[in-house]
Amino acid sequence: MKKVLVIYYTQTGQLTSAVKATLQPLEEDPEIEIYYELIVPKVKYPYPWKYVEFFDIFPETVHGIPCQLEAFSFDPDHHYDLIILAYQPWFLSICIPINSFLQSHAAKKVLANKPVITVIACRNMWLMAQEKMKRSLIERNAKLVGNIAFVDKSANLISLITVLAFILGGVKDRFLGIFPKYGVKESDLDKAPSYGKIISKHFKSNSYSSLQQSLNEEHAATIKPNLMIMEGRGKILFPIYANYISKKGIAGSKERRTRVIIFGIFLPTAILILSPIITLFSRLAPLILSKKMKKEMDYFSQNTLR
Ligand SMILES: Cc1cc2nc3c(=O)[nH]c(=O)nc-3n(C[C@H](O)[C@H](O)[C@H](O)COP(=O)(O)O)c2cc1C
């Protein structure tokens, strides 16, 4: 019997649907046993989020500061043949609950020398969070062998509006009746079992060298040039803003509230202004910088860290 440990965190269940759909072929296999561990913060993050609460966790998320977690029910001393780490990016970083798990003693034990596959479900920006994930797994002697990213495929500005309505307003349906529903579409989940079949094949032969390539052929982690460029900007600017806010006070403190509010206005405005410019640039860039763009996209399509 081969054993899989799935570590995941979800607020509204989108990630659970993506993981379950992906692992369906493994679930149906009598030779495979899957253990699911939902990561639960001691103080739960709210849903829907209040405006200030949402932007207030930005510095701690970017700086990778952990929160306290409820006790795990899996045994970290148990041998698992494969670990699936399923997470959401928050502010281009690993979400705090999963980052807190990664920093735990149990993670150190259970991840050491194990193959890991990451499953992401998010709006559309996961590249920089995954870079942090690559580093974190290397530090824990784990081997990242595959990555699948489920995204909202709407245009960037549309999903910016719908994700804010979803997160801050709790709108799970079509916002104002005109915008598309936020999140990963059913049609994308329908494709998920085909990723699971690929995982199962590599898992059974215990050979992962061509796993990501096979997943990429099925478009399991597509990279869009405009979003790649935007994330690159964010990667440079986010730590500066995070320091700017956290210099004023600790999470939730009154002292930093004004700076949090400024950031909460600045970030969506910057995306609104920059998104069309960067999209235009990303259409032209391949003509001028074709080699560099291709090299970058190839880099983010694989699992080593530069
Ligand atoms: C605090 C916070 C920050 C987020 N930042 C990002 C982000 O940087 N990139 C992205 O694509 N999605 C981002 N999202 C959206 C989430 O990745 C995800 O789609 C959403 O939280 C729903 O996931 P769930 O249903 O599994 O809880 C963010 C969500 C939250 C709550």
Side-chain angles (χ1 to χ4, degrees):
M1 181 74 80
K2 289 195 124 197
K3 293 186 178 167
V4 181
L5 173 65
V6 181
I7 302 281
Y8 71 112
Y9 170 75
T10 189
Q11 274 201 299
T12 72
Q14 292 220 8
L15 189 63
T16 316
S17 313
V19 170
K20 292 264 166 150
T22 304
L23 297 184
Q24 191 193 313
L26 287 85
E27 286 274 4
E28 287 165 0
D29 191 325
E31 287 169 19
I32 299 175
E33 195 177 273
I34 307 182
Y35 189 86
Y36 290 91
E37 177 80 26
L38 174 68
I39 298 300
V40 184
K42 277 207 166 140
V43 179
K44 289 202 178 65
Y45 290 96
Y47 182 82
W49 294 70
K50 291 204 179 86
Y51 183 83
V52 174
E53 267 173 343
F54 176 70
F55 288 105
D56 191 69
I57 63 151
F58 167 75
E60 283 67 32
T61 309
V62 171
H63 289 143
I65 296 170
C67 67
Q68 288 203 348
L69 300 176
E70 294 290 353
F72 308 129
S73 58
F74 74 95
D75 177 2
D77 291 315
H78 195 86
H79 173 80
Y80 296 96
D81 301 283
L82 172 68
I83 317 278
I84 309 274
L85 255 177
Y87 75 102
Q88 305 82 356
W90 283 2
F91 300 116
L92 311 185
S93 305
I94 304 166
C95 64
I96 294 179
I98 291 294
N99 208 3
S100 307
F101 161 76
L102 286 166
Q103 294 180 45
S104 70
H105 200 61
K108 217 177 196 173
K109 272 191 179 171
V110 83
L111 289 171
N113 306 313
K114 296 285 162 51
V116 174
I117 296 173
T118 44
V119 177
I120 297 169
C122 64
R123 180 171 82 93
N124 59 16
M125 296 198 185
W126 53 271
L127 302 181
M128 297 306 150
Q130 186 66 357
E131 289 299 284
K132 292 188 175 189
M133 180 58 84
K134 286 178 185 175
R135 183 175 306 281
S136 187
L137 292 176
I138 290 170
E139 285 167 5
R140 277 146 199 86
N141 289 321
K143 178 138 184 58
L144 181 62
V145 294
N147 175 44
I148 299 170
F150 293 91
V151 298
D152 183 323
K153 289 185 178 156
S154 309
N156 191 34
L157 289 184
I158 301 284
S159 68
L160 174 68
I161 294 167
T162 55
V163 76
L164 289 176
F166 177 81
I167 284 171
L168 303 176
V171 178
K172 289 189 175 171
D173 243 308
R174 295 169 68 95
F175 179 48
L176 301 176
I178 49 170
F179 286 95
K181 198 172 156 208
Y182 169 72
V184 178
K185 302 288 170 294
E186 282 297 322
S187 52
D188 291 318
L189 292 184
D190 290 344
K191 280 205 72 190
S194 68
Y195 309 149
K197 276 190 192 147
I198 295 171
I199 293 174
S200 179
K201 187 178 139 220
H202 289 263
F203 181 44
K204 286 190 156 174
S205 61
N206 199 23
S207 148
Y208 296 101
S209 54
S210 60
L211 170 63
Q212 191 63 50
Q213 197 189 329
S214 308
L215 289 171
N216 290 348
E217 281 161 15
E218 289 294 314
H219 310 288
T222 309
I223 290 159
K224 283 180 124 184
N226 58 332
L227 301 176
M228 181 177 77
I229 296 169
M230 280 201 96
E231 284 207 53
R233 300 299 98 193
K235 184 192 164 195
I236 298 165
L237 296 175
F238 274 19
I240 300 172
Y241 296 140
N243 285 334
Y244 171 72
I245 295 173
S246 52
K247 253 189 214 153
K248 269 280 172 188
I250 57 164
S253 67
K254 266 208 308 232
E255 290 76 17
R256 74 185 206 181
R257 203 180 149 90
T258 311
R259 290 191 177 187
V260 168
I261 293 171
I262 295 172
F263 176 68
I265 297 166
F266 173 79
L267 181 65
T269 313
I271 299 177
L272 217 62
I273 295 169
L274 285 179
S275 189
I277 300 170
I278 289 180
T279 302
L280 182 69
F281 175 74
S282 72
R283 300 254 159 90
L284 299 174
L287 307 174
I288 318 156
L289 303 161
S290 65
K291 266 196 192 149
K292 189 168 188 296
M293 291 283 281
K294 182 165 180 329
K295 212 172 132 195
E296 283 298 282
M297 289 175 69
D298 286 349
Y299 169 71
F300 288 114
S301 308
Q302 54 81 54
N303 297 311
T304 62
L305 184 69
R306 63 179 151 208

